[in-house]
Structures are given as C-alpha cells and as structure tokens.
Amino acid sequence: MTLQVPLSDFVETIDRMLNLKEAYISRISQGALVTAALISTGVSVVSISKLDPDQVRAELEEKGVKCREGAWHTEISSEIFATDEPLYVGAVSYRTGEDKPGIWVDAYGFQPTQVQVLRSIYEEFRATGEVEDVPFEEF
C-alpha cells in the first residue's frame, strides 16, 4: 500500500505511519522522487518535488531524516518513471585533438532546434573549459 503526500508533509507522515527517519531520493524528469517504506508491513510513502534532489536532501536532513540515493518502487513510482511524453535526443559529433572524433549527447523534453542543441553544447563546453572565450557565433 502506498500513500502519496506533499513534500511538506513527508517527514511527519513517515514518522507517524512508519516510525522511520530515513528516505530514498532519486532524480526524475519533474525534479525529485522521495520514498520511504516499511518492509515488514508493505506500506510506503511517496512524495514528488519539483526541487532539485540536492535541495530536497538538504531540506529533509535539516528535519532529521537520513537520506540515501535510490527509490522504493511502487505503483506510483513506476508510473512516474514511465512516461508517454516524447523525449528527444540531440547529438553533435566534433573533431578532437585525438585520433578519434568526439560525440556529445543530451536529452530534451521538447523537440530542440539545431541552434538550441548547439547552444547547449557551447554552454557546457564553456563551463568545463573545453572552449575558450569564443563567441557563440564563431563556435
């Protein structure tokens, strides 16, 4: 049996219903999935947050909940991971300084334009220092 609650009620609910102070957090496309379960009873509590998993972890740990990476899989969490929404992949091959070419891949929840894909690789390469101070237009 699974109970889904807002993240704001998660800590109180797992304490009251399961007498637990630990939860599992995993990244999902919507943000974070938080689960806690009591194996002996088969009862689980699930919460979905639009916050980044690191932010959720910090919030829960501040309230005394030990957090681990992972998820108890329930009917609700299985529905969350299975999506009917289309996913799109953008890929760029490029020359490297090595003997073999490079490939960069990213996933999108929308159909990106070529410019959006190139902007994404450009921003990532700038952030990692793989591209010097070159304007996007020259990239």
Side-chain angles (χ1 to χ4, degrees):
M1 185 174 352
T2 303
L3 173 64
Q4 184 174 359
V5 298
L7 185 62
S8 59
D9 296 337
F10 186 82
V11 174
E12 185 273 329
T13 302
I14 65 169
D15 185 37
R16 178 176 41 84
M17 291 188 62
L18 307 176
N19 197 27
L20 287 178
K21 285 289 188 184
E22 71 175 36
Y24 287 84
I25 301 173
S26 60
R27 183 177 301 278
I28 58 174
S29 61
Q30 299 95 324
L33 172 68
V34 185
T35 59
L38 194 56
I39 297 170
S40 60
T41 62
V43 173
S44 60
V45 177
V46 174
S47 184
I48 301 167
S49 174
K50 291 183 180 183
L51 297 174
D52 181 80
D54 291 334
Q55 293 173 292
V56 173
R57 175 184 299 274
E59 184 177 321
L60 294 178
E61 286 180 346
E62 186 177 293
K63 295 178 180 178
V65 175
K66 179 159 179 64
C67 298
R68 294 184 166 82
E69 193 169 317
W72 288 101
H73 285 280
T74 64
E75 291 176 18
I76 292 173
S77 65
S78 296
E79 290 173 14
I80 292 167
F81 288 119
T83 178
D84 292 334
E85 296 178 24
L87 297 175
Y88 299 89
V89 175
V92 177
S93 63
Y94 58 94
R95 290 189 180 110
T96 68
E98 301 174 12
D99 293 338
K100 57 185 177 182
I103 186 162
W104 176 90
V105 179
D106 202 0
Y108 300 84
F110 57 91
Q111 186 170 3
T113 65
Q114 291 176 351
V115 172
Q116 288 171 315
V117 172
L118 289 174
R119 172 73 65 186
S120 293
I121 185 175
Y122 172 76
E123 294 297 335
E124 183 175 317
F125 280 12
R126 288 284 310 269
T128 60
E130 295 177 65
V131 171
E132 298 176 14
D133 286 333
V134 176
F136 175 68
E137 293 74 21
E138 292 179 29
F139 176 74

